[in-house]
Amino acid sequence: MNPFNTNILKKVRRRTIIKFGSPIVELQERQKIMEVLDSGIFVHGSKTTEFEDQFSGSFGYKNSVSVASCTAGLHLAHHCLSRSYLEKKTIDVPEVLCPAMTHVATSHAIELCGLRPVFVDCELETGNSSCEQFEEKISNKTIGIAPMHFNGVPCEINEISALAKEKNLYLVEDCAISLGSTKNSQPVGTFGDCGVFSFHPVKQMTTGEGGMIVTDNDVFANKLQYTRAFGVDRNFNERKIPGQYEVPFLGFNYRMAEIPAAMGISQLQKVKKFQASRKNNYIALENNLKHLEKIKIMGCSDIIGRTFYTLIILLKDSRLNRDLIIKKMLDEGVQTSIYYPSPVPRFLFYQKKYEYDSKDFPNATSISDRSIALPIGPHLGLTEMKTIS
């Protein structure tokens, strides 16, 4: 199916929709969930700890701290790191640099901590912000950097990490759509103070909803564990007298519950298979589309260390109506998405508050307005890739 061919105007609706995302939940996940239901222990149980340990082992992390969502994890990380930073230095309106081309959760997490997100444009080729782009925006109010690894492609994280250390800034990696990605064989999420992953239903693996913070810092991991659970000084299993605890600092209710953790344990056993399927689908679709002159494929399959979340095409001709193409594809039975529908500073909340000019972010604007994300998930196979193309 070529969406740039006038034949697409045929009003033929497929009986089977090729979904953009469809979580693969099988008997194994159901059995794990039933174990939780039968135990009657829905929080503070063994499944959460088991999931964290297995996640660390599967991807090479020292500490993994599960949370209710990736957004919760990002907020928790910025909360803890910014408070520690500002204990040593007083800044009127502290700023954290983040990409303009990202999910709004990346900047919301900064905003919710009372910090000011300062947006940075991205590279048109990958959607990632470069080290040079971040460096240009550093000021005497900057306290942190929050880069994102866009669509499974690791950003210039070595250089960004070195920059953060040179300028004495904290570093939170948004790894929401880059599970399993590496840079120089080192897993993303380990270059800064921490990295945060998403287990939303369409991600590389799912817990229904949930997230994970990873860090090499044992002290910081301990801080995260207690701050995610109200800031109490003893977790449920450490209390000698039931119901008795102290609260030495401010915290949240950002814990992951036992049912999503149980799902995560099962999903981890399949994640390599999921990733291999995504890669095969990506390469097949890439080969089917790369001859089309009116589109450009963002990133490519041979980028070292990348993983595969979706295949994003960029319309070269601005006269092409992106939204009409998406509608025509849906008419033909193919769901698509957009990553992301707007540069974050162009969203109404940030426009009103900071009066940002989206003209400062030409590449992010181009990606938002001219890109289409095509499905490559493990619920699909080569037959569907052929249909899409």
Side-chain angles (χ1 to χ4, degrees):
M1 182 190 71
N2 183 351
F4 308 102
N5 191 310
T6 55
N7 289 335
I8 195 67
L9 293 172
K10 293 184 302 181
K11 300 296 183 179
V12 178
R13 183 174 295 276
R14 296 183 177 274
R15 292 181 181 177
T16 303
I17 296 290
I18 297 177
K19 295 182 178 180
F20 179 78
S22 182
I24 298 175
V25 178
E26 300 170 316
L27 180 61
Q28 190 177 12
E29 284 85 356
R30 297 173 190 274
Q31 289 174 335
K32 286 290 184 184
I33 291 171
M34 285 307 302
E35 289 176 15
V36 175
L37 296 177
D38 290 342
S39 74
I41 300 172
F42 295 168
V43 292
H44 300 299
S46 61
K47 290 288 190 284
T48 306
T49 303
E50 183 181 351
F51 178 41
E52 292 170 340
D53 291 343
Q54 289 191 15
F55 188 85
S56 291
S58 295
F59 296 102
Y61 295 111
K62 187 177 182 183
N63 299 288
S64 296
V65 180
S66 61
V67 283
S69 69
C70 182
T71 306
L74 290 168
H75 184 210
L76 181 61
H78 284 290
H79 170 83
C80 292
L81 290 167
S82 63
R83 283 185 168 238
S84 294
Y85 190 102
L86 294 171
E87 284 175 359
K88 305 169 187 175
K89 190 175 181 180
T90 302
I91 298 176
D92 240 0
V93 185
E95 298 176 346
V96 176
L97 310 184
C98 73
M101 176 43 52
T102 186
H103 191 279
V104 72
T106 309
S107 58
H108 276 4
I110 297 166
E111 185 75 27
L112 287 167
C113 291
L115 311 171
R116 176 173 179 160
V118 174
F119 295 102
V120 176
D121 201 16
C122 65
E123 296 175 323
L124 199 58
E125 176 67 27
T126 64
N128 282 322
S129 298
S130 69
C131 181
E132 183 180 1
Q133 288 170 320
F134 278 117
E135 188 170 12
E136 288 174 355
K137 293 293 184 80
I138 292 176
S139 73
N140 57 7
K141 295 182 179 181
T142 308
I143 67 170
I145 306 177
M148 180 197 189
H149 303 284
F150 185 77
N151 195 32
V153 178
C155 67
E156 296 176 354
I157 193 61
N158 293 91
E159 294 85 352
I160 295 168
S161 176
L163 175 65
K165 290 174 183 176
E166 177 191 342
K167 301 295 185 180
N168 192 30
L169 309 174
Y170 75 74
L171 179 62
V172 175
E173 297 176 58
D174 188 333
C175 310
I177 51 177
S178 294
L179 181 69
S181 298
T182 61
K183 190 76 170 183
N184 300 328
S185 300
Q186 181 177 337
V188 296
T190 59
F191 293 84
D193 294 278
C194 65
V196 190
F197 293 88
S198 172
F199 305 134
H200 179 275
V202 301
K203 297 302 191 290
Q204 288 99 329
M205 59 169 282
T206 187
T207 59
E209 180 62 287
M212 190 75 77
I213 309 174
V214 298
T215 180
D216 286 342
N217 188 318
D218 295 340
V219 174
F220 184 48
N222 187 65
K223 176 77 170 178
L224 292 169
Q225 287 167 352
Y226 287 102
T227 309
R228 72 176 173 180
F230 305 104
V232 302
D233 64 344
R234 297 183 289 281
N235 69 39
F236 182 79
N237 298 308
E238 293 174 333
R239 299 170 194 170
K240 294 181 179 179
I241 301 175
Q244 190 175 89
Y245 53 83
E246 186 53 81
V247 183
F249 51 82
L250 186 68
F252 307 96
N253 184 8
Y254 281 171
R255 300 164 296 179
M256 176 177 281
E258 288 287 280
I259 288 176
M263 283 187 64
I265 293 168
S266 297
Q267 290 273 298
L268 280 174
Q269 296 176 19
K270 307 173 185 179
V271 71
K272 286 185 179 180
K273 180 181 176 182
F274 291 165
Q275 298 283 48
S277 178
R278 285 180 178 273
K279 182 177 181 179
N280 289 338
N281 287 341
Y282 185 102
I283 292 173
L285 191 54
E286 179 184 48
N287 288 334
N288 292 342
L289 296 177
K290 63 184 180 183
H291 68 281
L292 297 178
E293 296 181 355
K294 294 184 179 181
I295 67 169
K296 175 181 176 58
I297 297 174
M298 289 186 61
C300 60
S301 58
D302 59 0
I303 293 175
I304 297 173
R306 75 158 299 171
T307 50
F308 301 86
Y309 176 57
T310 182
L311 187 148
I312 300 176
I313 60 172
L314 195 65
L315 306 181
K316 291 181 179 179
D317 190 340
S318 60
R319 292 171 297 179
L320 290 170
N321 188 322
R322 190 268 308 273
D323 293 349
L324 181 60
I325 291 170
I326 289 174
K327 183 179 182 303
K328 289 176 179 178
M329 293 186 74
L330 186 58
D331 287 342
E332 287 290 318
V334 179
Q335 288 184 347
T336 63
S337 190
I338 304 171
Y339 281 76
Y340 289 96
S342 172
V344 176
R346 196 173 67 183
F347 282 125
L348 190 58
F349 171 82
Y350 290 100
Q351 278 195 44
K352 283 186 173 181
K353 184 165 185 178
Y354 298 118
E355 298 182 351
Y356 285 130
D357 186 348
S358 62
K359 292 179 182 178
D360 294 333
F361 314 99
N363 291 341
T365 300
S366 290
I367 294 170
S368 290
D369 294 346
R370 297 194 287 119
S371 68
I372 304 174
L374 304 175
I376 60 165
H379 62 295
L380 304 174
L382 299 184
T383 299
E384 286 80 14
M385 297 306 103
K386 186 175 180 180
T387 300
I388 293 169
S389 57

